[in-house]
Amino acid sequence: MAVVFIRLALQFAMKILVCTAKEQEGWRAALADQLPEANIYVGHDAPSCDYAVVWKPPDNIFDSQRSLKALFSLGAGVNRLLAYPSLPQDLPLVRMEDCGMAAQMVEYALYVALRHYRRMPFYEQAQLNGHWSPQPLRLRSEFHISVLGLGVLGGSVARALADFGFTVSGWSRSPKSLPGVRCGHGISELEAILSGSHAVFLLLPLTSETAGLINRRRLEQLPIGSVVANLSRGEVVDDGALLSALDGWRVAEAHLDVFEHEPLAPGHPYWTHPRVSLTPHIAALTPYQVAAGQVAEKIRRLQAGDKVSGVVDRARGY
Ligand code: NDP
Ligand code: OXD
């Protein structure tokens, strides 16, 4: 009797699939801890599940997972998942919201901003040339930064840079208001924002509107000697245009964390460009210890028939 009861309980328990190349076991254990009533499966060889938590799953995952009530992306960006031809149109896709990523983005942005505001590249070069060459004081408020994308991550970055005393402009799709940040929105306001920026931070999702947004014309709006930091998706920047802007010193230094093709191909000019600093898509990693709590809470709400935040608007693409 007890065996039958256990079999029935297992059969009717909620089923969650975890499918990610990285930290799969950590995710499984963290979700099991948060949702002890659920059966958690890892890898793509699982029975039909109620929820799936994925990052770069196999292309055919939706052929075997036909009963999903919601799909959770392990990342904040969902452009890759949205491109799966077999992704069911009506399946709610839920993305990560912050989960410890905003603090990491702020660290990265502060590092880049401080390096340039304090003219460290200039002093590095002066040292190489054996020059003792003190430069005039610049006030924090005289260093102008723009943050393109004012969502969960970009909004945190813009506020942190403004709190630090830099002059910050932000740009989004719809009107926004953030303390200490001059906010603009829509394509008509982009060029004015760029033209006053010593440093530009990209924190936009990749959509049909943002692909190739930072092209030759937009880079030409920047003052000579600006800094570009792409922390969003490689495709937001036109690589050829950025390399030309670097060679012409319109852009003095580029900090690139993301690329159209990852890992970046051996021999790509970014690898060896003296004024490109690149990192392997680590600007903000998803800590599963925190993120599993967010996923579990949303699953509980969905099970109770409640709405959750972070559901991707398929028409907008983010
Ligand atoms: P959000 O969805 O919270 O924010 C997106 C922001 O971009 C919003 O302010 C939105 O405007 C704005 N935006 C979208 N489309 C346009 C447009 N056409 N014109 C102007 N503004 C636009 O995303 P997150 O902040 O959570 O994440 C941002 C991106 O960061 C992710 O999509 C991902 O690509 C990238 N990322 C990179 C990581 C890394 O390690 N490098 C880690 C995590 C994320 P509005 O406010 O009006 O909607
Ligand atoms: C994400 C990412 O979207 O890692 O979270 O890029």
Side-chain angles (χ1 to χ4, degrees), residues 54-55 57 84 90 111 123 150 159 168 192 200 217 225 229 233 237 247 255 257 280-281 301:
V54 303
W55 185 247
Y84 277 56
D90 51 355
Y111 156 74
Y123 292 117
L150 291 177
R159 280 197 309 273
V168 180
V200 182
R217 195 179 104 209
R233 287 292 182 264
V237 172
D247 292 340
H255 292 260
D257 183 57
H281 200 141
R301 291 179 63 83

Coordinates of all heavy atoms in Angstrom, one line a residue, residues 54-55 57 84 90 111 123 150 159 168 192 200 217 225 229 233 237 247 255 257 280-281 301:
V54 N 16.2 26.8 -18.1 CA 17.1 26.4 -19.2 C 18.1 27.5 -19.5 O 17.8 28.7 -19.4 CB 16.4 26.0 -20.5 CG1 15.5 24.8 -20.2 CG2 15.7 27.1 -21.1
W55 N 19.2 27.1 -20.0 CA 20.2 28.0 -20.7 C 20.8 27.3 -21.8 O 21.4 26.2 -21.6 CB 21.3 28.5 -19.7 CG 22.2 29.5 -20.2 CD1 23.5 29.4 -20.4 CD2 21.9 30.9 -20.5 NE1 24.1 30.6 -20.9 CE2 23.1 31.5 -21.0 CE3 20.7 31.7 -20.5 CZ2 23.1 32.9 -21.4 CZ3 20.8 33.0 -20.9 CH2 22.0 33.6 -21.4
P57 N 19.5 25.3 -24.2 CA 19.1 23.9 -24.2 C 19.2 23.3 -25.7 O 19.4 24.1 -26.6 CB 17.6 23.9 -23.8 CG 17.2 25.2 -24.3 CD 18.3 26.2 -24.1
Y84 N 14.5 30.0 -31.0 CA 14.2 28.6 -31.3 C 13.0 28.4 -32.1 O 11.9 28.9 -31.7 CB 14.0 27.9 -29.9 CG 15.3 27.5 -29.2 CD1 16.2 28.4 -28.9 CD2 15.5 26.1 -28.8 CE1 17.4 28.0 -28.2 CE2 16.6 25.8 -28.2 CZ 17.6 26.7 -27.9 OH 18.7 26.3 -27.3
D90 N 2.6 30.2 -27.4 CA 1.9 30.7 -26.2 C 2.5 30.2 -24.9 O 1.9 30.4 -23.8 CB 0.4 30.1 -26.3 CG 0.4 28.6 -26.6 OD1 1.6 28.1 -26.8 OD2 -0.6 28.0 -26.6
Y111 N 34.3 50.1 -12.5 CA 35.7 49.8 -12.8 C 36.1 50.6 -14.1 O 37.1 51.3 -14.2 CB 35.9 48.3 -13.0 CG 37.1 48.0 -13.8 CD1 38.4 48.2 -13.3 CD2 37.0 47.5 -15.1 CE1 39.5 47.9 -14.1 CE2 38.1 47.3 -15.9 CZ 39.3 47.5 -15.4 OH 40.4 47.2 -16.2
Y123 N 48.1 57.5 -18.3 CA 49.3 57.3 -17.4 C 50.0 56.0 -17.7 O 51.3 56.0 -17.6 CB 48.9 57.4 -16.0 CG 48.4 58.8 -15.6 CD1 47.1 59.0 -15.1 CD2 49.3 59.9 -15.6 CE1 46.7 60.3 -14.8 CE2 48.9 61.2 -15.3 CZ 47.6 61.4 -14.9 OH 47.2 62.7 -14.6
L150 N 17.7 51.1 -19.6 CA 17.5 51.5 -18.1 C 16.6 50.5 -17.4 O 15.7 50.9 -16.7 CB 16.9 52.9 -18.1 CG 17.8 54.1 -18.5 CD1 17.0 55.4 -18.5 CD2 19.0 54.1 -17.7
R159 N 22.0 54.5 -11.8 CA 21.8 55.1 -10.5 C 23.1 55.1 -9.7 O 23.5 56.1 -9.1 CB 20.7 54.4 -9.7 CG 19.3 54.9 -10.1 CD 18.3 54.4 -9.0 NE 18.5 53.0 -8.7 CZ 17.9 52.0 -9.4 NH1 17.1 52.3 -10.4 NH2 18.0 50.8 -9.0
V168 N 25.2 61.6 -15.4 CA 24.7 60.4 -16.1 C 23.4 60.8 -16.9 O 22.5 61.4 -16.4 CB 24.4 59.3 -15.1 CG1 23.9 58.1 -15.8 CG2 25.7 59.0 -14.3
A192 N 21.5 62.9 -29.4 CA 21.9 64.0 -28.5 C 22.5 63.5 -27.3 O 23.5 64.1 -26.7 CB 20.6 64.8 -28.1
V200 N 30.0 55.4 -22.8 CA 28.7 54.8 -23.1 C 28.7 53.4 -22.7 O 29.5 52.6 -23.0 CB 28.4 54.8 -24.6 CG1 27.0 54.3 -24.9 CG2 28.6 56.2 -25.3
R217 N 27.3 55.8 -37.9 CA 26.8 57.1 -37.7 C 26.7 57.5 -36.3 O 27.0 58.6 -35.8 CB 25.4 57.1 -38.4 CG 24.9 58.6 -38.6 CD 23.5 58.6 -39.2 NE 22.5 58.9 -38.2 CZ 21.3 58.5 -38.3 NH1 20.9 57.7 -39.4 NH2 20.4 58.8 -37.4
G225 N 37.7 60.4 -28.5 CA 38.4 59.9 -27.3 C 37.4 59.3 -26.3 O 37.7 59.1 -25.1
A229 N 31.5 50.6 -23.7 CA 31.5 49.4 -23.0 C 30.2 48.6 -23.4 O 29.1 49.1 -23.1 CB 31.5 49.6 -21.5
R233 N 24.7 42.5 -25.6 CA 24.8 41.5 -26.6 C 25.7 42.0 -27.8 O 25.6 43.2 -28.1 CB 23.4 41.1 -27.2 CG 22.6 40.3 -26.2 CD 23.1 38.9 -25.9 NE 22.3 38.1 -25.1 CZ 22.5 38.0 -23.7 NH1 23.5 38.6 -23.1 NH2 21.7 37.2 -23.0
V237 N 26.3 46.1 -31.4 CA 27.4 47.0 -32.0 C 27.8 46.4 -33.3 O 27.9 45.2 -33.5 CB 28.6 46.9 -31.0 CG1 29.8 47.6 -31.6 CG2 28.2 47.6 -29.7
D247 N 40.3 52.9 -34.6 CA 41.5 53.3 -35.3 C 41.6 54.8 -35.6 O 42.7 55.3 -35.6 CB 41.5 52.5 -36.6 CG 41.8 51.0 -36.4 OD1 42.3 50.7 -35.3 OD2 41.4 50.2 -37.2
H255 N 35.5 48.4 -24.1 CA 35.4 47.3 -23.1 C 34.3 46.4 -23.6 O 33.1 46.8 -23.6 CB 35.2 47.8 -21.7 CG 36.3 48.6 -21.2 ND1 37.3 48.1 -20.4 CD2 36.7 49.9 -21.5 CE1 38.2 49.0 -20.1 NE2 37.9 50.1 -20.8
D257 N 32.3 42.7 -23.4 CA 32.1 41.5 -22.6 C 31.3 40.5 -23.5 O 31.2 39.3 -23.1 CB 31.3 41.8 -21.4 CG 31.1 40.6 -20.5 OD1 32.1 39.9 -20.1 OD2 29.9 40.3 -20.2
P280 N 35.1 37.3 -21.2 CA 34.3 36.3 -21.8 C 32.9 36.2 -21.2 O 32.6 35.1 -20.6 CB 35.2 35.0 -21.5 CG 35.8 35.3 -20.2 CD 36.1 36.8 -20.2
H281 N 32.1 37.2 -21.5 CA 30.7 37.2 -21.1 C 30.6 36.9 -19.6 O 29.9 35.9 -19.2 CB 29.9 36.2 -21.9 CG 28.4 36.4 -21.9 ND1 27.6 36.3 -23.0 CD2 27.6 36.8 -20.9 CE1 26.4 36.6 -22.7 NE2 26.3 36.9 -21.4
R301 N 3.8 30.9 -7.3 CA 2.8 31.9 -7.7 C 2.0 31.4 -8.9 O 0.8 31.5 -9.0 CB 3.4 33.3 -8.0 CG 3.9 34.0 -6.7 CD 4.5 35.3 -7.1 NE 3.5 36.2 -7.6 CZ 2.7 37.0 -6.9 NH1 2.8 36.9 -5.6 NH2 1.8 37.8 -7.4

